[in-house]
Amino acid sequence: MGGLAGLAAGVYGARARLKTVILEKGSTGGQAATTEELENYPGFPGGTTGRGLTKAMEDHARSFGTEIKKENVIDSDLGGETKVIKTKSGNEYRARAVVLASGAHPRSLKIKGEKELTGKGVSYCATCDADFFEELEVVVVGNGDAAVEEAIYLTKFADQVTIIVIHDQGILDCNKQSAERAFANPKIHWVWSSVLEEIKGDGIVESVVIKNIKTGQLTEMETNGVFFFVGTVPNTDFLQGKVDLDEKGYIMTNERMETSVSGVYAAGDARVKYLRQVVTAAADGAVAAVAAERYLAEEEFFKKQVSDFDGAVMAVFWAPQDEESIAAVALLEKTAQELGDRVKLVKIDASRSEVAVQRYQVTTIPAVLFFVKGEVAARISGQFTAIEIKEQIADLL
């Protein structure tokens, strides 16, 4: 969970004086750390490297007090007030709020020979493996941003990079700038309207079989390596049945990064989103950490003001811009004084307490919720009188 989203959450969480721990089974940075060139991250007009950016974010998070522990998360119990994260080493981490930033991994096409030759010429990371193919020839499968940009990077090492594209000639799914650079690169060759059918080799990659999707013709081409950039799969197997996932396994959230479970947030490539880029991962992490901090603050407020009180609590949801709710607060303050020490009034600004509003399904203001031992025992919405309030308290006590 130590990719860009997790690191950004670490920066914001620790800076808010929350005890913040990042659990990461490998090196920090996630997929971004394996990207050699980042040309579209704001603030770096000359570009930067994935590893350089992620290392700077790691140092930033640590500087605020974030702990980064080498742990492989395998299970979780997220339903209670205290969340429990379980790791392969047998350790358990307990927290009142969790940000899920488990990222994603490269998608496999399950082509014949792909699995057998992975690590033997088949790769999913140009930055990791490009130097193994110096002065050799490689094939790239995919035509999105990652595929084309990584193909350009591969030309620094390989003599020839052949990109297999499922679309007609000249049509790519990547951004225009990357396409123009790739078309202008003499080391890049193109095979259009085609897909990879098979990877062949005796212990190492020796050739590939390419199928033209229009004619069905199969062509065998010698090559030394195959790089796949055909999308990702979310790392959410350990979250099945824990939070709501979509049909592809991505975590479903709202704009505050809240999942279907109270106190649990998600950020980065593992969640349902329109754009999966380094900048959006960092933004997700920041939003998730801020939302978690506010959730914890409201939880602490409720515990001190409502749950721990030995008596009846009148929690009035109001808004300073609503005249009716201002009048209701004044009435309740007077009534609470008349009712004595066993009754407490707690004022909650509905415009600033979204967690409480959602949790207790407050749809109109003013609204008064009556709590006994931390649980809602009754509620009144809209206009009410002091007599109605006193009768309700009498019933509860």
Side-chain angles (χ1 to χ4, degrees):
M1 293 187 181
L4 262 296
L7 290 171
V11 169
Y12 276 76
R15 188 172 181 272
R17 299 296 187 266
L18 299 177
K19 185 175 182 181
T20 306
V21 178
I22 294 175
L23 305 179
E24 171 56 57
K25 68 178 180 180
S27 57
T28 56
Q31 292 187 90
T34 67
T35 302
E36 179 60 22
E37 296 182 1
L38 285 175
E39 295 187 335
N40 59 353
Y41 194 84
F44 295 88
T48 184
T49 65
R51 187 57 200 153
L53 179 63
T54 55
K55 181 61 169 65
M57 289 187 68
E58 177 185 341
D59 293 342
H60 197 174
R62 289 185 187 275
S63 73
F64 284 127
T66 298
E67 294 183 66
I68 301 178
K69 295 182 177 290
K70 198 173 185 63
E71 292 277 18
N72 183 5
V73 177
I74 58 172
D75 198 4
S76 61
D77 183 359
L78 305 175
E81 180 180 346
T82 299
K83 322 300 180 184
V84 182
I85 305 298
K86 303 175 183 180
T87 68
K88 192 173 183 179
S89 64
N91 291 326
E92 291 188 354
Y93 294 83
R94 299 174 184 273
R96 290 186 296 140
V98 172
V99 176
L100 302 170
S102 51
H105 61 272
R107 183 182 301 279
S108 168
L109 292 183
K110 296 181 172 58
I111 291 170
K112 185 177 181 181
E114 178 183 353
K115 182 178 180 181
E116 294 79 4
L117 294 172
T118 294
K120 302 171 185 177
V122 171
S123 176
Y124 305 87
C125 175
T127 306
C128 308
D129 300 329
D131 58 337
F132 294 129
F133 298 92
E134 193 162 359
E135 299 182 354
L136 298 176
E137 297 182 359
V138 298
V139 164
V140 168
V141 181
N143 70 104
D145 286 345
V148 175
E149 289 166 8
E150 296 299 275
I152 293 170
Y153 175 70
L154 284 166
T155 61
K156 295 181 179 181
F157 301 87
D159 280 348
Q160 178 176 306
V161 177
T162 300
I163 303 180
I164 301 174
V165 184
I166 195 171
H167 305 307
D168 290 343
Q169 184 170 347
I171 300 176
L172 298 174
D173 292 329
C174 68
N175 65 82
K176 291 183 179 179
Q177 185 179 27
S178 293
E180 289 171 359
R181 290 178 58 205
F183 287 140
N185 193 314
K187 284 190 174 183
I188 294 181
H189 296 245
W190 307 88
V191 177
W192 303 100
S193 303
S194 299
V195 295
L196 194 61
E197 185 79 4
E198 183 181 353
I199 305 171
K200 293 184 174 182
D202 185 11
I204 60 171
V205 171
E206 297 172 349
S207 66
V208 293
V209 177
I210 301 170
K211 180 180 180 179
N212 186 294
I213 61 173
K214 291 187 173 181
T215 66
Q217 181 179 356
L218 298 177
T219 304
E220 186 167 350
M221 183 181 79
E222 292 186 359
T223 191
N224 305 109
V226 180
F227 286 81
F228 287 92
F229 302 104
V230 289
T232 59
V233 178
N235 299 321
T236 56
D237 286 349
F238 73 103
L239 295 172
Q240 294 287 339
K242 312 290 184 178
V243 296
D244 286 350
L245 309 175
D246 73 358
E247 67 278 3
K248 295 180 181 178
Y250 289 96
I251 305 167
M252 300 175 71
T253 71
N254 60 18
E255 63 179 6
R256 291 188 294 274
M257 307 299 143
E258 294 171 325
T259 70
S260 57
V261 177
S262 180
V264 179
Y265 304 81
D269 285 358
R271 80 175 190 93
V272 177
K273 59 192 301 185
Y274 176 69
L275 180 65
R276 292 186 173 86
Q277 292 280 287
V278 170
V279 68
T280 63
D284 284 358
V287 172
V290 170
E293 188 274 330
R294 291 180 180 176
Y295 162 82
L296 292 172
E298 286 195 42
E299 288 286 295
E300 189 66 21
F301 172 82
F302 251 81
K303 179 174 173 54
K304 289 182 178 180
Q305 298 296 322
V306 178
S307 301
D308 292 347
F309 183 71
D310 185 20
V313 176
M314 299 186 298
V316 56
F317 288 78
W318 74 296
Q321 67 273 20
D322 184 86
E323 292 186 6
E324 186 178 344
S325 66
I326 293 174
V329 169
L331 183 150
L332 287 166
E333 287 177 332
K334 182 179 179 180
T335 305
Q337 290 178 349
E338 296 173 357
L339 289 170
D341 294 339
R342 292 204 63 196
V343 178
K344 179 179 182 181
L345 175 65
V346 175
K347 293 173 283 187
I348 301 171
D349 185 345
S351 64
R352 299 172 61 88
S353 303
E354 295 177 347
V355 173
V357 167
Q358 291 182 0
R359 174 178 297 175
Y360 297 110
Q361 300 178 342
V362 176
T363 57
T364 60
I365 58 171
V368 184
L369 273 62
F370 299 87
F371 289 83
V372 176
K373 296 181 180 180
E375 299 293 331
V376 177
R379 67 170 67 206
I380 297 176
S381 297
Q383 295 182 343
F384 49 81
T385 65
I387 294 176
E388 290 175 316
I389 296 297
K390 290 177 180 179
E391 288 177 347
Q392 187 64 72
I393 290 294
D395 289 342
L396 297 177
L397 295 179

